[in-house]
């Protein structure tokens, strides 16, 4: 039995430790087709080679969130197999598009540790990096998770909480080489709204809702080689429910946001994110967005929008109650930067 | 909220109007693999590059109905988002096979309008065309849908009901360039029956049945980027049921018809089609076919059969009651031309 | 109605008869992506082109069990459509990896016949061979099934029970050309355990469990073009249950065995296999393995392990009761050879 992994516990992590996550992965048109079957994704840049070429790219990349999910999924056995909760994201930067044929690897560096006052668990902060087959970093983000201790009597490590930016600065966004939206085809993309048409504070209800089935979220989560048993084993939780991978809700909400944000093409940064409440099969997920900020970029015809994307169960539009806590029907509160034609 | 689309209403359409539908789509082996997972499709020409090359094609195209679904799906946000019913198809012609790597676009021309006597809705006739990345038309068909009016007091347009053929004439069928069935491998295709073995009036019960799950029809419908909410949102209809996309039933019935029609390889025309009754998850779908006509073609070794394909819930073989109306368990009545080795 | 196939019956088979199964199939990255979505498969050699090239292969093959399922699926209409039970496997040898772009065909030779004493059915033994587009055999295995007679009064054939090896001898294993594990990257593969770390008699509980949904096993079974109606038609069995294709359980158990056997990369032989009890949607499947034998191989850095892989419903670890019969919660008992870095 000793050959199987029980995952790491809080006392196993050390500041500066770098973990190379297992199982490199080559992506193909198969992952793209599945992404389109699993989510109502319609972003033209990720759907058409011709559209992408007209925007200065060599072809249509796979959806940014495919890269995110694959790189995240690889980190699960080493980081979050014994996680009590996935607490947050910061400083996420998408540095290069991923194309069919690319092979992704993932590694994480421990950048913060803080034992909880109960002595039974602690918070681990990791910076996870995804690289392609040329060793180029394609994605870099920080997440922190609460991890159980194996031995409650293990000594607490020195507390180090990393200094994380609340927002990735617009000047720190990395734009894909060659990206050019000056000949952007708004009709092909699906909506006429340009960067300049969005105002800070504007709220968009994305209208549509999708009811989730068990088979769908399990297909998706396995596709990213994320094997956390809570997503797959109906006997694991006392209530017999399978918890839906938080990334499934991110992709679903992002795809739903097409209706109103069809031109919000490329995610370039994740500033912050919270899985506010658990999501289960049978939930009907809706989404709304708020424009948080706008920035110009050096790429021709390309502007950036900072958006809040909120996924809800039931009616859209809600966020927090009077107590300042997330409404129990809020599933996701994501803060990200996206590239939009000007 | 104004940035999201509520779709078009009856009074928004004008005769001669051409709508370019959004989101071009590049297909790959991924879409083909998913088609094989979603439907029991076994047509050899769409399964094997070697078989297709032996038939004079450069490789195995994607299933004709993949092209149909993608081109149809793109038209949904502009044509049928507010449709009360998808009333019929006519004059559908498949003009060129679609291969992995091709990028499809879709546009529709309004060719007919007829307000209903109740003044609250009307029938819109459109000719939808799908093109590949070279601008070549790959599919051209007419459909008509009943669309609600936004404003019941909007004036009725002048009525124009297009003159549509009941059947695409055999002489108007377009055969794929190079198609040659003289070296057709019947053993590899799965059945010995040639074009000459089928007689007009012959009825074939395709034997097998498939019980549909919610996850399956939603994966399929999303794959075609068809986003009509009635297919996905369990809270949309008062009965809590998700209506299955009619095209899902077409593909399922066509795939089931392999048993008895394994050599009915390429769909070249859709003469007519009716989604006779709604289909829901849990239904067990069966299919039967009737040979309606036969025609020779100029391509070597290639004949054409005109077939009626009927999908039923429960027992196959049924069509209409004594009152001339479709039996409540009939889901689809499709009239099409298909190419068969002679 | 005569154009549809009712499958073959016991009295239709003759010793020496060779049946070419229908519908050649070209595989792509689409089948691989779907395999990763359907099963928690993480073997590095089947996930990454770079990893596979570092092991001396031209690229990442598709999972060995994809080849098995496709070649098996093609034999179903000719061999097991009227099967009462799939009784066993023997002498299975994987002779060449299958790569995206390859086209597979399948044929079976009848090598044994034995009518049952009740006169109503009999056992048919077939050797099934899968070939690629160059005619090279990629997989060769024997299975035997119990098949109903059409006519109970048909005369019994002369009984011939083939002499089958209990185990494929280690010297008869065929290693992929060029395979070299001397530069094997254990960190990338996910575990440090080498061939020499496994001892005969060692038992590994693979920890994880997966609850199966109807949509998943039907997607999988259709993907292999296996059309046996018992898997798809909820009206077929009196209890309204759809029997899960035994190969779905094989792939699920093999993927679960990654936890403890991450370096058990390539299946080279199937010595024996029994689908001990039927599996249905809702079952939570777990797996355990036992090391049965070890062998050296001539390929650099490559050893072979003979493993028993057992899939169970509920708790892992069980096999047979005191009466020697399989425990009712045992689903699969598979005996196979796999290649492991030394």
């Amino acid at each position: 039995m000793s050959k199987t992994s029980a995952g790491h516990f809080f006392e196993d992590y050390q500041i500066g430790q770098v973990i190379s996550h297992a199982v490199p992965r080559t992506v193909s048109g198969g992952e793209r087709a599945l992404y389109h079957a699993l989510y109502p994704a319609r972003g033209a840049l990720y759907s058409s080679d011709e559209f992408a070429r007209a925007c200065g790219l060599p072809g249509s990349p796979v959806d940014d969130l495919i890269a995110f999910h694959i790189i995240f999924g690889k980190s699960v056995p080493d980081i979050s197999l014994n996680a009590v909760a996935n607490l947050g994201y910061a400083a996420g930067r998408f540095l290069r598009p991923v194309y069919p044929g690319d092979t992704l690897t993932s590694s994480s560096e421990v950048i913060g540790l803080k034992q909880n006052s109960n002595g039974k668990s602690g918070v681990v902060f990791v910076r996870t990096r995804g690289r392609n087959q040329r060793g180029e970093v394609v994605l870099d983000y920080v997440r922190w998770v609460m991890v159980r201790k194996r031995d409650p009597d293990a000594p607490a490590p020195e507390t180090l909480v990393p200094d994380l930016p609340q927002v990735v600065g617009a000047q720190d966004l990395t734009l894909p080489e060659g990206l050019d939206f000056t000949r952007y085809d708004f009709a092909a993309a699906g909506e006429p709204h340009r960067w300049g048409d969005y105002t800070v504070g504007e709220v968009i209800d994305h209208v549509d809702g999708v009811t989730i089935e068990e088979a769908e979220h399990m297909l998706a989560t396995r596709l990213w080689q994320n094997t956390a048993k809570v997503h797959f084993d109906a006997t694991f939780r006392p209530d017999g429910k399978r918890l839906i991978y938080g990334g499934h809700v991110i992709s679903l909400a992002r795809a739903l946001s097409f209706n109103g944000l069809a031109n919000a093409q490329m995610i370039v940064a994740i500033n912050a994110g919270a899985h506010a409440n658990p999501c289960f099969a049978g939930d009907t997920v809706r989404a709304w967005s708020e424009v948080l900020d706008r920035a110009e970029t050096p790429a021709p015809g390309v502007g950036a929008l900072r958006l809040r994307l909120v996924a809800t169960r039931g009616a859209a539009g809600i966020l927090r109650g009077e107590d300042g806590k997330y409404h129990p029907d809020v599933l996701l509160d994501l803060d990200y930067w996206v590239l939009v034609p000007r």
Side-chain angles (χ1 to χ4, degrees), chain A:
Chain A
M1 310 265 171
S2 63
K3 288 206 170 61
T4 59
S5 169
H8 299 304
F9 291 86
F10 181 67
E11 63 265 41
D12 299 330
Y13 296 98
Q14 296 175 319
I15 297 293
Q17 182 183 3
V18 175
I19 305 172
S20 287
H21 306 307
V23 198
R25 170 78 168 272
T26 305
V27 299
S28 79
E31 280 77 12
R32 172 146 62 175
L34 266 163
Y35 197 83
H36 281 109
L38 290 162
Y39 309 108
R42 286 181 285 161
L45 200 61
Y46 300 93
S47 179
S48 164
D49 282 338
E50 271 64 31
F51 190 95
R53 281 185 205 121
C55 293
L57 301 182
S60 179
V62 298
D63 198 283
D64 306 308
L65 292 173
I66 291 181
F68 175 81
H69 294 314
I70 288 179
I71 290 158
F72 180 101
K74 302 203 166 313
S75 78
V76 167
D78 295 320
I79 305 298
S80 45
L81 210 61
N82 297 306
V84 184
N86 195 24
L87 298 171
Y89 304 96
R93 298 194 312 147
F94 291 80
L95 300 169
R96 265 178 194 79
V98 174
Y99 295 96
D102 281 356
T103 299
L104 299 178
T105 57
S106 176
S107 66
S108 295
E109 180 181 354
V110 180
I111 62 167
L113 290 171
K114 182 175 184 299
Q115 182 165 309
N116 288 331
S117 54
N118 64 14
K120 293 181 182 167
S121 56
V123 179
V124 181
F125 297 78
V126 292
R127 179 180 297 277
T128 298
R129 282 196 179 88
R131 288 183 169 81
N132 64 21
Q133 69 279 13
R134 290 179 298 276
E136 298 162 344
V137 178
V138 300
L139 170 64
D140 184 327
Y141 69 95
V142 172
R143 72 163 167 144
W144 53 105
V145 292
M146 191 184 301
V147 180
R148 284 196 297 274
K149 290 175 76 175
R150 184 188 293 105
D151 171 12
D153 296 330
E158 199 170 336
T159 293
L160 174 62
V161 174
D163 190 26
L164 295 171
Q166 273 207 295
V167 179
V168 176
Q171 71 287 352
D172 293 329
L173 300 178
T174 299
L175 278 73
E177 205 182 309
L179 190 72
D180 180 344
F181 281 165
T182 53
R183 293 182 302 156
Y184 188 93
D185 183 341
F186 288 85
E191 289 181 351
H193 321 305
R194 294 164 183 272
W195 176 79
D197 297 330
Y198 292 90
T199 53
V200 173
E202 180 175 357
V203 169
I204 303 164
D205 178 340
H206 299 299
V207 180
D208 299 315
V210 170
T211 308
I212 303 182
E213 298 294 311
E214 298 281 13
E216 293 170 330
H217 76 83
M218 292 199 295
L219 287 169
T221 308
R222 266 192 298 255
L223 184 58
W224 321 126
Q225 297 177 316
N226 175 342
T227 59
K229 56 174 72 78
V230 70
H231 307 314
F232 298 104
D233 182 347
T235 69
F236 185 68
R237 287 168 55 107
D239 63 4
K241 289 184 175 181
R242 279 162 276 183
L243 181 69
I244 292 177
Y245 161 52
H248 190 65
V249 178
I250 296 178
S251 276
L252 186 49
R254 161 78 171 145
L256 285 169
S257 78
F258 180 91
N259 198 345
L261 285 167
N263 298 317
Q265 292 284 358
M266 306 191 86
I267 300 179
V268 279
I270 291 180
N271 299 308
H275 298 294
N277 285 289
C279 181
F280 299 103
D283 285 350
T284 298
V285 175
R286 294 172 205 285
W288 62 273
S289 294
E290 180 185 354
V291 181
L292 298 177
D293 201 358
R294 302 181 346 144
E296 302 190 353
T297 86
V302 180
L305 290 179
R306 184 183 154 209
L307 300 170
R308 155 173 280 160
L309 172 62
V310 179
T312 65
R313 170 174 38 222
I318 52 173
L319 188 62
R320 291 177 188 276
E322 289 186 7
D323 56 3
K325 290 184 185 164
Y326 283 115
H327 187 288
D329 285 342
V330 169
L331 303 173
L332 171 75
D333 182 11
L334 188 76
D335 179 336
Y336 71 108
W337 280 106
V338 69
L339 301 180
V340 182
R342 299 181 62 175

